[in-house]
Structures are given as C-alpha cells and as structure tokens.
Amino acid sequence: MKKLLLVAASFIVLNVTAQNIGIGTSTPQSKLSVGNSSQFQIDSIGNIKKINNVPYSFPSTQGSNGQVLTNNGSGSLLWQSLSSGVPYTGATGAVNLGAYDLTVNG
C-alpha cells in the first residue's frame, strides 16, 4: 500500500497558492490540469477549457431537440439545427455525406 501511495504522489501536484491540481504536471495552469503541459484543463466552475491543448468554449445551455454541437473553427462550440443533407436515424440505402457516400444495409 505504501508503494502505491508514493507512486500516486509523484504524478499528482497540488498548487496551494493558486489552489490548482495537476496530474502529470508540476505546474497546473487551471483548477484541474492533466498532462505535462496541461493539455487537458477544467476551470473553477467545471467547464472544459482545453482538450489536447486546443482551447474550447462550450455553450452555457443545453441544445434543443434535433440540434447538434458544432465548432466555428476557433474553438467556440454552438448548438445548431441539422441542415438538409445530413443523415438521420433510420436512414437506409445511399446516404450523402458530402464528399463521401455511405450505403446502409438493414
């Protein structure tokens, strides 16, 4: 049991001054930072700030029925309604996916 505790202690760091916790980093940049350069981060209210070192901004509300989460190319995620040409549940036969074709059997 003591060996397991020593191993875990070397991977988890608590920055008391900033009150940040780091896993795999000795310099956590957010309330929870994972990875040697904080590639995954969660802020003080539980929002994901970075995934694989790419910043994201999630919507503050849930989307409506039929909406999907889209990315504007700058990391801001938005709820949008499905546009025409997007496959739907229960589709059979040939489905157009833009540059790709998909055949669904059954």
Side-chain angles (χ1 to χ4, degrees):
M1 186 63 142
K2 290 181 182 178
K3 289 182 182 179
L4 178 61
L5 180 59
L6 291 175
V7 170
S10 68
F11 292 107
I12 299 174
V13 173
L14 175 61
N15 182 332
V16 178
T17 305
Q19 297 179 343
N20 294 344
I21 296 175
I23 300 173
T25 179
S26 59
T27 54
Q29 298 175 9
S30 294
K31 291 301 174 189
L32 175 62
S33 294
V34 179
N36 59 355
S37 62
S38 297
Q39 296 96 320
F40 179 81
Q41 297 180 23
I42 296 178
D43 67 13
S44 62
I45 58 174
N47 291 323
I48 297 173
K49 289 178 51 177
K50 284 187 177 182
I51 300 174
N52 201 22
N53 223 21
V54 176
Y56 285 96
S57 174
F58 282 82
S60 59
T61 60
Q62 179 67 304
S64 299
N65 185 26
Q67 287 188 316
V68 295
L69 198 56
T70 61
N71 187 325
N72 70 354
S74 297
S76 291
L77 303 175
L78 310 165
W79 291 110
Q80 293 186 341
S81 297
L82 292 174
S83 60
S84 61
V86 176
Y88 57 91
T89 303
T92 59
V95 179
N96 185 327
L97 297 172
Y100 305 96
D101 288 329
L102 171 69
T103 301
V104 180
N105 295 321

